Amino acid sequence: MTKEDKINKIVIVGSGAFGTAIAEVLVRSAEDSKKDEREVILFGIDKKEVNDINKNHKNSKYYSMRLSPKLKASIDPKESFKDADIILLAIPSKAFKSSLEENVVPNLTKSAYFINLAKGLDYDKNKILTDIIKEEVPKNLNKGTLKLSGASYASELIYKAPTSFILSSDDIELSRVVEKELSNYVMKISPQNNLVSTEWLSIIKNPLAILMGLISGLGYKMNTKALFFTEAINEMIMVINHFGLNKDIVFTPAGIGDLYLTGSSMKSRNYTTGYNIGKSNKVTKKALKTFETTEGLRSIKTLNDLSKKHKLGLTSIEMLYNITYNKEKPSAAVQNYIDKF
């Protein structure tokens, strides 16, 4: 990285729980490493959240803690993206493309690195989100497209819990260059050149976390949970193998690490959704309402279609599809699955 490439401004798109946590960690890291000249901007569309951050140094919707007074938030895209060097996208997949089109790209004044933090697909096009970045951002304004993924709860990251990530791109040297600008005493980042496989792991991990919650909600013990956890890992590998990618990525923080984290705690929306379905032994109206906010529920159909079309044998995904879309009774579906072993 030359002097001309010096990172002076980082923009996090999305003032939700994860975007706020990442921004706070990066600001504190800049303070501690004496890089106070580095500007960290949190761009959001919720005026109330942005005002709360700027005036009260809090994002009360998600956290009770006080944020760094040096963290700036903005709803002005022109101000936010002017001279941005790194742009991290922490927005829901359903708003990913429109945010790039409407807020980010029209206000770029120079080329930047783009990092996807979101999990899921562009469900209209059935494309991974880093492909959407490559399509929407002109080549002369895109220094590189990357994916940051790992075993992380925003609610722990923001309180400085050491957290492991991988940073993937198509070029390992690109990943190494950007990793050096983001790694700190909280975010432990490993550079990788497995961009597509990292994206697909983040997609399949969510429904598998629903599966683990479902098993818990039905009251199964640890032996059976371990059985399903092992099967979940096997299905991760099946998907990665289908795309002809390196399966070693499964054994990283973005694979097993993330599945362990989000498939074992009520802090995870996907796990909680599965748990509630299992506990009530049916897909309730309340569970159906979470389809809009739980990435895993939207991914179930995509992965089931993929499995059927290419005969992948993603049996736990197919079981989840029958429960969530065909309204099969969860206890019966799971018992039938176990009986086939």
Side-chain angles (χ1 to χ4, degrees):
M1 184 173 285
T2 65
K3 288 183 179 180
E4 289 75 21
D5 290 327
K6 185 178 179 183
I7 303 301
N8 294 313
K9 185 175 182 180
I10 298 176
V11 183
I12 298 89
V13 184
S15 59
F18 196 62
T20 301
I22 290 285
E24 172 68 7
V25 169
L26 291 177
V27 166
R28 295 289 185 184
S29 173
E31 292 174 358
D32 294 344
S33 60
K34 297 181 180 179
K35 291 182 179 178
D36 285 355
E37 75 280 1
R38 177 171 291 180
E39 188 178 12
V40 178
I41 297 286
L42 186 57
F43 172 76
I45 59 173
D46 188 318
K47 190 173 182 179
K48 185 176 180 180
E49 287 177 14
V50 168
N51 286 340
D52 194 21
I53 293 167
N54 289 333
K55 294 180 180 179
N56 306 316
H57 307 302
K58 295 179 76 173
N59 190 339
S60 305
K61 183 176 179 179
Y62 301 101
Y63 304 110
S64 59
M65 67 174 287
R66 183 177 173 83
L67 303 172
S68 168
K70 292 186 178 179
L71 175 58
K72 301 175 185 177
S74 177
I75 58 170
D76 182 348
K78 188 173 182 179
E79 171 194 56
S80 298
F81 299 107
K82 180 182 178 182
D83 295 331
D85 295 301
I86 296 178
I87 298 171
L88 299 101
L89 297 146
I91 46 182
S93 59
K94 65 179 181 178
F96 202 86
K97 184 173 182 289
S98 61
S99 184
L100 283 169
E101 288 178 335
E102 297 167 14
N103 296 316
V104 182
V105 175
N107 295 291
L108 295 172
T109 57
K110 67 176 188 176
S111 61
Y113 297 105
F114 287 81
I115 304 174
N116 173 31
L117 305 182
K119 296 175 180 178
L121 286 162
D122 180 302
Y123 294 95
D124 292 331
K125 292 187 172 185
N126 256 5
K127 289 187 175 182
I128 57 175
L129 298 178
T130 43
D131 278 352
I132 299 300
I133 293 174
K134 292 176 182 179
E135 288 179 2
E136 295 298 325
V137 182
K139 289 183 179 180
N140 66 312
L141 293 174
N142 187 353
K143 279 189 175 181
T145 301
L146 306 99
K147 165 79 171 178
L148 184 71
S149 185
S152 59
Y153 286 134
S155 59
E156 295 185 10
L157 180 66
I158 200 167
Y159 284 101
K160 303 181 182 179
T163 305
S164 58
F165 295 92
I166 65 171
L167 182 66
S168 283
S169 72
D170 292 324
D171 178 358
I172 189 63
E173 290 306 317
L174 169 65
S175 299
R176 286 171 178 158
V177 165
V178 181
E179 174 268 323
K180 290 176 182 177
E181 300 299 324
L182 299 180
S183 285
N184 52 60
Y185 62 98
V186 176
M187 296 170 62
K188 309 300 181 180
I189 303 174
S190 171
Q192 299 273 344
N193 62 343
N194 298 302
L195 181 62
V196 176
S197 51
T198 305
E199 284 280 30
W200 275 103
L201 278 183
S202 72
I203 293 162
I204 191 172
K205 182 274 304 179
N206 286 324
L208 293 176
I210 291 176
L211 171 68
M212 297 308 298
L214 177 71
I215 300 306
S216 293
L218 286 169
Y220 284 98
K221 305 300 182 185
M222 291 303 297
N223 287 6
T224 312
K225 290 178 184 178
L227 181 156
F228 277 95
F229 188 82
T230 304
E231 287 304 299
I233 295 169
N234 287 335
E235 295 199 7
M236 281 183 164
I237 293 172
M238 288 177 192
V239 171
I240 297 303
N241 283 342
H242 166 70
F243 289 104
L245 303 167
N246 186 349
K247 68 180 181 181
D248 289 349
I249 196 74
V250 173
F251 306 99
T252 69
I256 290 177
D258 205 1
L259 177 62
Y260 169 78
L261 187 83
T262 58
S264 61
S265 171
M266 295 295 276
K267 289 183 180 180
S268 161
R269 283 185 305 188
N270 288 292
Y271 179 91
T272 302
T273 297
Y275 183 89
N276 290 337
I277 291 172
K279 193 74 174 175
S280 59
N281 202 19
K282 62 181 179 180
V283 179
T284 63
K285 290 182 178 180
K286 183 178 181 181
L288 287 173
K289 286 182 180 179
T290 65
F291 267 75
E292 283 301 308
T293 57
T294 304
E295 290 287 358
L297 285 167
R298 294 201 292 274
S299 298
I300 288 171
K301 185 178 186 305
T302 298
L303 290 164
N304 185 65
D305 290 346
L306 183 74
S307 181
K308 292 289 188 183
K309 181 178 179 180
H310 298 283
K311 299 180 180 179
L312 300 187
L314 304 179
T315 52
S316 65
I317 294 294
E318 292 169 15
M319 179 187 70
L320 282 171
Y321 180 82
N322 287 331
I323 292 170
T324 54
Y325 286 85
N326 293 336
K327 306 301 185 290
E328 187 173 340
K329 194 169 185 178
S331 58
V334 171
Q335 188 58 55
N336 183 52
Y337 184 99
I338 293 171
D339 289 344
K340 288 181 179 178
F341 266 86

